[in-house]
Amino acid sequence: MDILDIIKPENQVFCKTKLMTDTALSYCPGCGHGTAHNLTMEVIDEMGIVEDTIGVAPVGCSVLAYDFMNIDMTQAAHGRAPAVATGIIRTWPEKYVFTYQGDGDLAAIGTAETIHACNRGENIVIIFINNGIYGMTGGQMAPTTLEGMHTSTSPYGREIKNMGSPLKITELIANLPGVYYVTRQSVHTHKHVRKAKKAIRTAFENTRLKKGLSFVEIVSNCNSGWKMTPNEANIWMEENMFSYFPLGDIKVDGKLK
Amino acid sequence: MSELKLMKGNEALAEAAIRAGVDAYFGYPITPQSEVIEYLMTERPELRTGMVVLQAESEVAAINMVYGAASTGKKVMTSSSSPGISLKQEGISYMAGAELPAVIVNVVRGGPGLGTIQPSQADYFQSVKGGGHGDYKLYVLAPASVQEMSDFVTDAFDIAFKYRAPVLILSDGLIGQMMEKVVLKDQVERISDKDLIKMNGYWATTGKKDRERNIITSLDLQSEKMEARVHRLQKKYVKMELEDLRYETIDCEDADYLIVAYGSSARISQKAVELARKKGIKVGLLRPITLFPFPKKQLFDLANQVKGILSVELNAGQMVEDVKLAVEHKVPVEHFGRTGGIIHTPEEVLEALEQKIINHGHFRHHKTRESSIL
Amino acid sequence: MAKVRGAIVVQTETCKGCEVCIPVCPEKVIGMSTDVNRKGFHFAYMDHPEDCTGCTNCGLVCPDRAISVYRVKTSE
């Protein structure tokens, strides 16, 4: 059978969702941000809720998320996305509101906003991309940078006695009663992508059912920051990031696992 | 129907917000304006109009909640006092850049730093010279009474939505805490979501439906686009100056000397004008009601008539600089003002006028400014 | 028994040559081109097109959604 016959439109089983624009992603080759964007948009598309969805973009690599996500979005100041999302959901309680944030945005400057939005149990989804580094600004140490990890502001490796341990913000907020669903996923293999998409779907379904806050962490790579090729980074991530930030559900239906 | 009540400034402002059909208030406790959120929490406007009231974890969070709701076209406000307003500056700059309508209230207290909880007007520079980063200004309304503290909520939102810009109500601890008669406006219905989408759906993030997506952002990495955005903002400020300048003149027709004062200092200066006239000194008062736009032309004209101007402010001298700029050295301009939370008396104002302007000889070109403290 | 044939279409200008799709392909179909796209990236292509089953693994992991996947049952 000739390839041209195979690639007829009726035979298509997978393609980019229309909720992603045609703007070329600004992310480095192989960066998990792109995949996380796609999954979020695919879920919104499949749930048919784009007309009621408002995204909140952070400051960081994904500051330009609204150039790629073909939905209504508002751009928050660094760390303030959960507060911006609170302002939206409180005045539009029937909407689907999500923040899309990096580790510096959510677990450093935005820690208070993260914890208090979670503690209030805002009926929103927080998508948290944890790649253990400040990517946009050129690879500085982040709250989730692992011990010994070299970054431009921990050139000799992160020292616990100097900068404390990597912050497990996800486990921290999981203990807050207002938080209904907490999970940690990744998007570096097809298996993980399928699980991550299911998790994001669950999060948005929780919003529909007004269950309170859903928190989806996606442990991801930062190829330019970690100074590795994408595949090397994914292997390094499995061996190092996952041991400190174990994947899997942490809180389901309001109960810690 | 409108009601006459005896109310604290802060409470009159809160009640006015409910009656103006405000959709949401996000606040945080700080003396001397905690009554605003306390009143709202007690009044439970969600039962009266559906208005949301939420206490945030910080002023930073509160202003960003305002930013979020404002980005969807809702009528949103916050209030705080000096240190809290400093914390909100980044958020306010973002709202100016993202062109979001909202109202911010500053019930000013003594500064800098933790300062004091007594009244002050030392946030003038912060209020009219931008306050946050970047080329932007705030439209600033300065109430001088509990009545204006109430009325200006409606006025501020009219300006905010006319220009899609954040507006500041610059009050102070005196006006916020004192009780006065106030005529409260009738209840204005909150705008329904459907009507809001019809009015603001072309720019606000209400959910992409039957249109392209809306994006609210203050970011433009391409310089040409950022410059176009900055120029678009400056055009607003020019238009504000042309169309929405507000001021009041009292006894200026025959004035030989002029006092310029806003807010509580204007109230006190009115009494000083009376005292002066009893002594045969013809003094007039120019009260800027908007601090930006500033009554520059009116000052320029009055400078042709009077022999000297005293800027009376509860600070170490801030608005005096704008008065000097407006007057362009035609006549001497000096400053008087107590600080630290002490309220100057009418007698002190008159004494300063006599010492610094009237008895100080006529024309002193290029004399270094003698600060009121040294 | 009906055999499933698959194929992928790579948007060569979108692909950034990150190669993340290569290890997830169970049939080792994908290879990297020797020439480059406008941005100077080598791009993915079907090195062994006959082995593709259209399982969509590559499509799922591609951050830039540069890969569309097709699948058809054949009577061969």
Side-chain angles (χ1 to χ4, degrees), chain A residues 38-234:
Chain A
N38 294 311
L39 297 185
T40 309
M41 288 309 109
E42 284 164 19
V43 164
I44 290 168
D45 195 18
E46 283 151 22
M47 286 177 73
I49 54 172
V50 68
E51 292 181 355
D52 288 314
T53 299
I54 300 153
V56 181
V59 167
C61 283
S62 49
V63 67
L64 293 172
Y66 50 73
D67 278 350
F68 315 127
M69 296 183 180
N70 193 0
I71 62 171
D72 271 13
M73 277 193 99
T74 187
Q75 197 250 323
H78 193 30
R80 315 309 172 194
V84 171
T86 300
I88 298 170
I89 196 67
R90 288 301 179 111
T91 49
W92 297 85
E94 299 313 311
K95 298 288 182 185
Y96 294 83
V97 181
F98 72 94
T99 73
Y100 183 99
Q101 302 173 257
D103 41 52
D105 194 84
L106 181 138
I109 189 170
T111 310
E113 281 76 11
T114 301
I115 287 178
H116 284 281
C118 288
N119 197 51
R120 287 190 301 266
E122 300 293 345
N123 194 43
I124 62 174
V125 173
I126 290 182
I127 296 175
F128 163 40
I129 310 299
N130 174 12
N131 55 16
I133 203 158
Y134 283 86
M136 161 69 95
T137 40
Q140 294 79 14
M141 177 172 56
T144 50
T145 296
L146 299 179
E147 183 179 8
M149 214 165 141
H150 297 268
T151 72
S152 65
T153 52
S154 61
Y156 309 106
R158 177 187 188 140
E159 285 176 82
I160 301 297
K161 69 172 174 45
N162 178 25
M163 275 308 291
S165 318
L167 181 60
K168 291 194 170 185
I169 186 83
T170 302
E171 281 80 358
L172 210 65
I173 57 95
N175 290 288
L176 300 171
V179 179
Y180 184 74
Y181 173 58
V182 180
T183 182
R184 180 179 285 125
Q185 303 289 331
S186 78
V187 289
H188 66 300
T189 75
H190 54 286
K191 288 200 196 77
H192 294 90
V193 163
R194 289 198 177 94
K195 273 202 219 123
K197 182 170 177 177
K198 214 145 70 50
I200 294 172
R201 176 68 184 250
T202 303
F204 278 91
E205 291 292 348
N206 290 339
T207 297
R208 191 165 53 80
L209 302 167
K210 295 215 164 45
K211 294 288 187 184
L213 196 131
S214 294
F215 192 97
V216 178
E217 173 182 345
I218 296 176
V219 183
S220 183
N221 56 0
C222 177
N223 310 322
S224 54
W226 299 356
K227 306 212 179 334
M228 302 173 194
T229 69
N231 283 321
E232 283 167 359
N234 285 338

Side-chain angles (χ1 to χ4, degrees), chain A residues 18-19 21 23 50-54 59 63-64 66-78 80 83-88 90-92 95 112-114 116-117 120 122 136, chain B residues 23-24 26 52-58 60-61 64-69 71-72 74 90 94 100 193 196-197 204-219 221:
Chain A
K18 61 181 184 314
L19 285 192
T21 67
T23 311
V50 68
E51 292 181 355
D52 288 314
T53 299
I54 300 153
V59 167
V63 67
L64 293 172
Y66 50 73
D67 278 350
F68 315 127
M69 296 183 180
N70 193 0
I71 62 171
D72 271 13
M73 277 193 99
T74 187
Q75 197 250 323
H78 193 30
R80 315 309 172 194
V84 171
T86 300
I88 298 170
R90 288 301 179 111
T91 49
W92 297 85
K95 298 288 182 185
E113 281 76 11
T114 301
H116 284 281
R120 287 190 301 266
E122 300 293 345
M136 161 69 95
Chain B
D23 293 307
F26 301 103
V52 168
V53 183
L54 181 64
Q55 180 176 321
E57 60 269 28
S58 72
V60 176
N64 281 286
M65 291 177 188
V66 167
Y67 179 100
S71 63
T72 71
K74 290 283 184 175
E90 183 200 37
Y94 268 66
L100 292 177
D193 290 352
L196 183 149
I197 290 171
T205 52
T206 53
K208 187 181 81 160
K209 184 178 183 204
D210 308 330
R211 59 165 167 72
E212 287 304 306
R213 72 184 189 284
N214 285 339
I215 298 169
I216 295 293
T217 183
S218 52
L219 176 73
L221 290 173

Side-chain angles (χ1 to χ4, degrees), chain B residues 289-306:
Chain B
I289 296 172
T290 55
L291 300 181
F292 177 80
F294 192 65
K296 291 184 279 193
K297 190 184 162 310
Q298 290 67 25
L299 268 167
F300 183 81
D301 297 344
L302 280 166
N304 295 333
Q305 171 193 324
V306 299

Side-chain angles (χ1 to χ4, degrees), chain B residues 340-359:
Chain B
I342 296 166
I343 313 295
H344 34 237
T345 64
E347 290 73 17
E348 280 176 323
V349 170
L350 176 54
E351 193 189 337
L353 181 71
E354 286 167 328
Q355 272 175 5
K356 291 170 174 258
I357 301 288
I358 299 171
N359 312 334

